[in-house]
Amino acid sequence: EIVLTQSPATLSLSPGERATLSCRASQNVYKLLAWYQQKPGQAPRLLIYDASTRVTGLPARFSGSGSGTDFTLTISSLEPEDSAIYYCQQRHIWPPVTFGGGTKVEIK
Amino acid sequence: QVQLRESGPGLVKPSETLSLTCSISGDSFNRHYWSWIRQPAGKGLEWIGRSHTSGDTHYNPSLKSRVTMSVDTSKNQFSLTLTSVTAADTAVYYCARDSQSATIWYFDLWGRGTLVLVSS
């Protein structure tokens, strides 16, 4: 089973700042990685797949990068509505599909 | 607009069977795989498995001995059965559409989730 480790666990930043979220895989997943955003009381929402492909309508401030074992989700300029937990998910070797433990982004 | 809606009992007794249904509207049910994913309160996401109208299913090995998924094409519904539940199965259960790009599968549409409490 591929383990995804996300860091940091919590990120506390001010509006307008840059957020850098990390996801590390226990083995090579090539670019078969997706990112999701989950706000309190809501279902997760797909943001990015294929490590860097943004879903239609996603604000340009969100970007994904990386391949192999190291991936990054970047929010270039935080908005208050970006407060959420962000999860990475791999789809290279499955079952099982696995998710990272999440990074909570707090807006000061 | 495609919508997914989970339904089922919110309370299940330990050792009994949990049964949930996901109803899909506004989409071509037969074209996709449909997954179940759960999330204990305050914790991360756990993929349970997925099913297709062809009968093809994939389960999380950690749950495989207790899980059954099936589809009802006449009702545009797919279901989850989890046997011998314990408190560890208490979670919000989501159904999700499993879609594919040229290279990767991903969950592009989710239901709102339904909370299942395992308690006597």
Side-chain angles (χ1 to χ4, degrees):
Chain A
E1 174 176 324
I2 294 179
V3 176
L4 299 177
T5 302
Q6 291 188 242
S7 61
T10 303
L11 203 50
S12 184
L13 296 168
S14 299
E17 289 193 299
R18 182 184 190 90
T20 302
L21 288 65
S22 173
C23 175
R24 177 162 290 176
S26 60
Q27 56 186 287
N28 188 354
V29 298
Y30 299 90
K31 298 194 74 173
L32 301 180
L33 189 109
W35 290 94
Y36 298 82
Q37 176 193 64
Q38 186 178 32
K39 296 183 178 181
Q42 296 184 16
R45 165 198 173 196
L46 177 69
L47 300 178
I48 286 170
Y49 60 94
D50 274 337
S52 59
T53 303
R54 294 184 7 257
V55 299
T56 302
L58 184 67
R61 63 181 183 274
F62 289 90
S63 63
S65 63
S67 65
T69 60
D70 290 301
F71 300 86
T72 301
L73 175 68
T74 301
I75 310 172
S76 60
S77 180
L78 279 167
E79 299 282 347
E81 62 265 30
D82 299 333
S83 179
I85 299 175
Y86 293 84
Y87 294 96
C88 57
Q89 170 242 307
Q90 69 81 24
R91 209 61 186 263
H92 172 51
I93 296 177
W94 64 281
V97 180
T98 52
F99 293 86
T103 291
K104 184 176 184 179
V105 174
E106 296 178 340
I107 310 298
K108 293 178 181 176
Chain B
Q1 183 178 359
V2 182
Q3 290 188 332
L4 282 65
R5 183 175 181 180
E6 304 90 349
S7 61
L11 180 64
V12 182
K13 290 182 168 56
S15 80
E16 294 190 347
T17 296
L18 178 162
S19 296
L20 298 175
T21 298
C22 181
S23 300
I24 295 100
S25 60
D27 195 9
S28 178
F29 185 63
N30 294 339
R31 288 196 293 122
H32 298 285
Y33 280 84
W34 305 91
S35 276
W36 288 98
I37 297 160
R38 69 181 183 179
Q39 185 174 37
K43 297 187 178 181
L45 300 161
E46 180 180 33
W47 178 76
I48 301 170
R50 74 173 193 174
S51 58
H52 189 272
T53 54
S54 65
D56 191 27
T57 57
H58 303 91
Y59 298 138
N60 189 323
S62 68
L63 298 168
K64 189 174 183 178
S65 64
R66 299 194 291 131
V67 170
T68 303
M69 293 182 184
S70 61
V71 296
D72 185 337
T73 56
S74 67
K75 296 181 179 179
N76 267 26
Q77 292 179 339
F78 69 108
S79 64
L80 166 69
T81 300
L82 181 66
T83 61
S84 304
V85 297
T86 70
D89 295 310
T90 293
V92 174
Y93 285 74
Y94 296 101
C95 57
R97 188 174 70 182
D98 204 359
S99 294
Q100 188 182 25
S101 70
T103 53
I104 185 175
W105 289 91
Y106 47 81
F107 305 114
D108 65 338
L109 193 65
W110 296 63
R112 296 178 66 178
T114 187
L115 175 62
V116 176
L117 174 66
V118 178
S119 176
S120 55

